[in-house]
Amino acid sequence: MPVSPAVGPAGEPPPAEPDEEAARKPPHPVSAPGGLRPALRSLKYRNYRLFVVGQCVSITGTWMQRAAQDWLVLSLTGSPTSLGVTIACQFLPYLLVGLWGGVTADRYRKRHLLMVTQGAMAVLALLLAVLALTGQVRVWEVNLLAFCLGLVSAVEDPARETFAAEMVGEKDLGSAVSLNSAVFQLARIGGPPAAGLLLGVVQAGWIFAGNAVSYLVVLLALLRMNPAELVPHASAPRSPGQLKAALRHAAGRPELRYPILLMGLISVFAFNYPLILASLTNYYFHRGPGTYGVLNTVFALGCLGASFLVAPLLERGGLRLVVAAAVGIGVAQLAAAAAAPSLVLFALVIALAGVVGQSFVISANTWVQMNCEPEWRGRVMGIYMLVFMGGNPIGNPTLGKIAEEFGGRWALFFGGGAAALGALCIAALVRRSQIAVPNPPSSVRST
């Protein structure tokens, strides 16, 4: 691993000549039809195709494990509160070590780091499978393993997000982010129903064991990649003050600061759909789990559609697309609250909310990565993932209390109104800052 001979103040890496591997040309794509859709452009690269296949299997297994784990906790305790604690255990590590995960992504080769994290996740899933299948599992053990999985995920997420640029280069980064999102939404649509069917015939432990195998598929895909076709960036040297330097770096650049602020705002007030949909289904529409499942599927289908629709807009939309989508999320939630007396109309608006919400996630992710120098990208994405994943533990209790006291529609009104108003305020700040970065900075453009 290359290490620079000197370190700048407060842990900032000094300008340095890229090492031999970092100086390679972008990976050479295999031949592909000229009319390939923008969202699928990243599939030209063999390494990325291997990665996508592994992710399809692994993320489906992860969603199946989540559903089976929820069922297991409820069957052991009969308490929704206990289930909430288990979910919190899995997300709490993002608040504790999320920034450190970004530092790790910058410090080590991302492909090697992903091999380690995938192996660790496989071991954790296998341990949970053994406990469940032997009948020895207790709730505190499930919570402990969920917390450990969260720790590994907090390190893995920044590495996985930034690894896309090494596989496809800067030019096709937007396509890779869009396709990653599509894979996630397809798994979200298929994983939980598949787990529900399997739980009717096998123990939850077998689903956990299957998820352990799914991580090995990703590991095999990483091993079969051609390192010569990757574009690794120079590793950041180990030095004190790297977290503070990353925070100063992101805060000091408006083209990074405002999208990250928007993500934190939307994560707290708007990305609480499972809670809101469950509350409305049970206490407003007076329907059962079937309706709840349909609403979640409709929302996921909207997200899936956005994964393919946004890619052509990324190059032209830039930061304007990020801001417009953030405002649109709040407006869509207000419209959903207004439409709630009609279940059919509400479902249609929820699908639209999925389109707008996923458009924001894809455009914000792509914008931040493409306007961040490669040597900072892991740490900046660590901050991004911290506000993205860390907003839920703050927003869910707040929106849940509003839904409990006043009803799910008022929770939607409050969340949508706060999101729209906050996004409009940040939009005004963006306009005042006169950010004009229609393309990635020259330092990160593909050559």
Side-chain angles (χ1 to χ4, degrees):
M1 186 187 338
V3 178
S4 300
V7 178
E12 298 186 19
E17 292 294 325
D19 62 8
E20 182 180 353
E21 285 187 297
R24 292 173 180 166
K25 295 181 180 180
H28 180 69
V30 298
S31 59
L36 194 66
R37 291 177 61 86
L40 303 178
R41 212 162 47 201
S42 53
L43 291 177
K44 295 182 294 184
Y45 305 95
R46 176 182 177 275
N47 285 339
Y48 186 73
R49 292 199 301 274
L50 288 170
F51 183 77
V52 166
V53 170
Q55 289 295 295
C56 284
V57 176
S58 178
I59 297 176
T60 301
T62 298
W63 276 108
M64 292 177 67
Q65 173 159 321
R66 286 184 184 179
Q69 181 176 280
D70 291 350
W71 181 266
L72 176 63
V73 171
L74 286 175
S75 65
L76 290 173
T77 66
S79 169
T81 302
S82 295
L83 176 58
V85 171
T86 302
I87 295 173
C89 286
Q90 192 158 328
F91 284 98
L92 180 61
Y94 284 93
L95 296 175
L96 299 178
V97 301
L99 295 177
W100 181 81
V103 172
T104 305
D106 277 340
R107 186 173 293 169
Y108 300 102
R109 292 296 189 208
K110 296 173 181 61
R111 175 168 166 264
H112 298 162
L113 186 58
L114 289 172
M115 290 180 184
V116 174
T117 56
Q118 292 295 310
M121 289 176 172
V123 170
L124 291 172
L126 187 59
L127 285 174
L128 185 58
V130 171
L131 289 171
L133 291 173
T134 57
Q136 303 298 316
V137 67
R138 289 171 287 184
V139 174
W140 73 265
E141 294 170 331
V142 177
N143 292 345
L144 177 61
L145 290 173
F147 183 80
C148 292
L149 180 61
L151 288 175
V152 178
S153 298
V155 175
E156 193 241 9
D157 282 351
R160 187 184 69 250
E161 293 289 341
T162 55
F163 187 50
E166 296 192 2
M167 290 184 287
V168 305
E170 307 290 341
K171 182 179 178 181
D172 291 323
L173 178 59
S175 170
V177 173
S178 297
L179 196 55
N180 288 348
S181 172
V183 169
F184 182 86
Q185 296 304 331
L186 281 171
R188 181 180 183 178
I189 293 170
L197 291 174
L198 286 175
L199 285 170
V201 294
V202 300
Q203 297 182 51
W206 290 112
I207 296 177
F208 304 147
N211 189 39
V213 174
S214 76
Y215 290 121
L216 299 181
V217 175
V218 180
L219 189 58
L220 179 61
L222 291 168
L223 288 170
R224 294 196 61 187
M225 287 183 180
N226 184 357
E229 294 181 356
L230 295 174
V231 189
H233 301 296
S235 302
R238 184 186 298 272
S239 63
Q242 287 185 316
L243 289 180
K244 292 181 180 179
L247 290 169
R248 283 199 304 270
H249 182 77
R253 295 182 55 184
E255 65 270 23
L256 299 178
R257 177 172 69 244
Y258 292 126
I260 291 174
L261 285 175
L262 278 171
M263 178 53 73
L265 172 78
I266 297 301
S267 178
V268 170
F269 291 109
F271 284 167
N272 306 282
Y273 288 107
L275 170 71
I276 298 299
L277 293 181
S279 175
L280 284 170
T281 301
N282 286 316
Y283 305 114
Y284 187 81
F285 293 118
H286 302 291
R287 300 296 183 93
T291 300
Y292 176 65
V294 169
L295 290 176
N296 273 286
T297 300
V298 167
F299 178 77
L301 286 171
C303 295
L304 178 63
S307 301
F308 295 101
L309 294 174
V310 175
L313 304 176
L314 289 174
E315 294 178 3
R316 300 191 304 270
L319 190 55
R320 289 175 298 179
L321 177 61
V322 178
V323 175
V327 176
I329 291 171
V331 173
Q333 287 206 357
L334 292 172
S342 167
L343 180 59
V344 174
L345 186 58
F346 176 78
L348 291 175
V349 179
I350 280 297
L352 176 62
V355 172
V356 178
Q358 199 63 22
S359 298
F360 170 71
V361 171
I362 296 170
S363 58
N365 186 317
T366 305
W367 173 269
V368 170
Q369 288 205 57
M370 294 188 73
N371 287 282
C372 182
E373 293 80 358
E375 63 267 23
W376 288 100
R377 191 171 285 157
R379 279 165 288 177
V380 171
M381 287 306 294
I383 299 171
Y384 177 90
M385 295 304 299
L386 172 66
V387 300
F388 186 12
M389 307 300 291
N392 265 265
I394 300 172
N396 269 315
T398 304
L399 273 295
K401 185 64 175 178
I402 293 174
E404 183 178 334
E405 295 293 334
F406 305 103
R409 286 186 73 195
W410 282 106
L412 266 179
F413 273 124
F414 176 80
L421 181 60
L424 286 171
C425 291
I426 295 177
L429 293 174
V430 170
R431 185 178 182 85
R432 182 178 301 176
S433 298
Q434 296 182 339
I435 302 172
V437 192
N439 296 304
S442 59
S443 60
V444 297
R445 290 177 192 162
S446 56
T447 55

